[in-house]
Amino acid sequence: MTHDIEKILVSETELAETVRRLGKRVSEDYKGKNLLLLSVLKGSVVFMADLMRSIDIPCEIDFITADSYGNDTRTSGTVTISGRTQERVQGYDVLIVEDILDSGFTLNKLIEVLQTGKPNSIRICTLLDKPDRRQAPIRADYSCFTIPNEFVVGYGLDCAQKYRNLPYIGVLKESVAQALESK
Ligand code: IMP
Ligand code: MG
């Protein structure tokens, strides 16, 4: 698996330290609030598992599915959302936990849907931010790493559903990405 990686962008140690610091910040910011951590499947599961254990105030967790990619490395622009949506967010301070903010279409759509459920607040927490690729007017409230316009995998992020189990964030070799896309 590691042979398919061009270079490591964020190491395991760097991930662990940054996520721990973020958990402290969230714990401070959400003191006395009704925090709901809403993880966007599947890419954010590893980030979510680490982040929630770095938060030391009471909170609830839930999951939502958002899909716009299929097997492609570029977004299709159409986002399908399912899971806990507008029905059960009323009275919560929702913190969306996302793996990567890219075009912004996914979170734009998700926030639009959640807002109809009248939560107390909605904020975005993303592990990675690729600002060069933004097309929708979306900004992260919490972001761990800003990365260049390269396709990355690992720590939950996939290419055609593979590489999610890598413990670091790496750039996939161009040839490997192309072979997976055309499958
Ligand atoms: P957006 O709607 O374009 O912002 O897409 C966000 C979603 O696309 C993320 O939640 C990821 O699932 C996926 N994505 C975007 N860039 C990458 C990448 O470099 N590697 C893996 N998945 C990515
Ligand atoms: Mg995702």
Side-chain angles (χ1 to χ4, degrees):
M1 205 164 51
T2 48
H3 294 165
D4 298 343
I5 302 299
E6 179 82 48
K7 63 172 182 246
I8 295 179
L9 217 54
V10 190
S11 72
E12 276 188 76
T13 324
E14 231 181 319
L15 282 163
E17 277 168 13
T18 310
V19 174
R20 205 174 313 120
R21 272 202 306 273
L22 174 63
K24 283 219 173 79
R25 254 184 84 195
V26 171
S27 305
E28 284 296 315
D29 294 355
Y30 282 85
K31 250 187 206 135
K33 309 245 188 221
N34 193 17
L35 175 60
L36 170 67
L37 297 171
L38 190 58
S39 157
V40 185
L41 292 170
K42 304 172 196 164
S44 72
V45 285
V46 183
F47 177 39
M48 175 74 160
D50 284 345
L51 178 65
M52 62 189 270
R53 286 177 295 171
S54 307
I55 292 175
D56 61 6
I57 56 166
C59 66
E60 293 183 30
I61 67 158
D62 215 333
F63 299 87
I64 203 159
T65 306
D67 202 12
S68 69
Y69 272 67
N71 270 2
D72 209 325
T73 53
R74 278 169 307 272
T75 180
S76 64
T78 320
V79 184
T80 319
I81 288 169
S82 51
R84 178 173 183 153
T85 48
Q86 62 276 32
E87 300 91 35
R88 289 189 293 131
V89 293
Q90 192 167 15
Y92 285 95
D93 292 287
V94 180
L95 185 59
I96 300 172
V97 179
E98 178 61 303
D99 53 357
I100 184 165
L101 185 49
D102 188 38
S103 71
F105 286 135
T106 305
L107 288 183
N108 205 32
K109 176 75 189 177
L110 181 55
I111 285 171
E112 192 188 297
V113 170
L114 290 175
Q115 246 150 11
T116 65
K118 301 194 169 37
N120 287 344
S121 66
I122 306 180
R123 280 173 157 186
I124 297 170
C125 172
T126 189
L127 177 71
L128 306 173
D129 190 1
K130 259 192 216 174
D132 295 352
R133 302 238 309 169
R134 198 79 84 255
Q135 293 184 59
I138 286 287
R139 204 183 50 80
D141 299 285
Y142 303 92
S143 161
C144 293
F145 303 97
T146 300
I147 63 163
N149 184 9
E150 286 181 291
F151 198 80
V152 294
V153 294
Y155 199 71
L157 288 107
D158 73 306
C159 182
Q161 301 303 327
K162 298 284 193 315
Y163 307 99
R164 293 193 195 275
N165 53 323
L166 282 174
Y168 51 80
I169 303 277
V171 178
L172 204 55
K173 285 180 181 160
E174 186 68 37
S175 56
V176 177
Q178 274 171 7
L180 278 170
E181 259 183 55
S182 56
K183 263 192 191 159

